[in-house]
Amino acid sequence: MPVRCRARIPRACVEYLLPCAQESACWARWLTAAFLSRKELHQCSRADPDDVVLVVTELVTNVTRHTRSSCRLRLCADFRGLTVEVYDASPEWPCLRLAQMNEESGRGLMIVRALAQRLDVRAAPGGGKTVRATIRAPDAALVTDLRA
């Protein structure tokens, strides 16, 4: 019987601690763009960088506007796409709402939900929560198995 081995899957992860400040969303955009431009990621995620940066911006902005907490941004990329996780210490969970046409804000989670294939919130051990969005690469659905 032949032995099958799984190919090594390239994966890259980074984590950043951002202060509870209005500038955190700007820093998060810059850090995300720098992460996505790393050479080794060209073998990994093909998720749309503009979508990823927008998702990061919206999630970090929600933390700075609606909590009194710093946040931890974690980005993980592999051949299937990219996962964005934003942790904050606030016990209040984000909620989707329908913004009125004349309102300038209130659409962030709806945008994230539209761009991400998966969006979930999990309680963190010791309090707080993690909001996670998964952005798939366009061709990730075609990759079912990697074998050497």
Side-chain angles (χ1 to χ4, degrees), residues 35-36 45 47 52 75-78 80-84 133-136:
F35 173 71
L36 293 173
S45 174
V52 175
L75 305 169
C76 287
D78 63 22
R80 295 174 298 234
L82 192 127
T83 301
V84 176
T134 304
I135 303 162
R136 298 273 184 229

Side-chain angles (χ1 to χ4, degrees), residues 59-71 86 88:
L59 293 179
V60 172
T61 298
N62 280 351
V63 171
T64 60
R65 281 193 183 161
H66 303 292
T67 73
R68 295 182 183 264
S69 167
S70 59
C71 68
V86 178
D88 68 75

Side-chain angles (χ1 to χ4, degrees), residues 85-98:
E85 295 179 349
V86 178
Y87 163 83
D88 68 75
S90 172
E92 294 182 33
W93 286 40
C95 57
L96 290 171
R97 70 178 191 91
L98 294 175

Side-chain angles (χ1 to χ4, degrees), residues 3-21:
V3 176
R4 294 184 188 189
C5 298
R6 240 176 218 268
R8 188 153 178 84
I9 300 170
R11 182 179 169 98
C13 292
V14 293
E15 193 169 299
Y16 306 106
L17 182 61
L18 300 166
C20 181

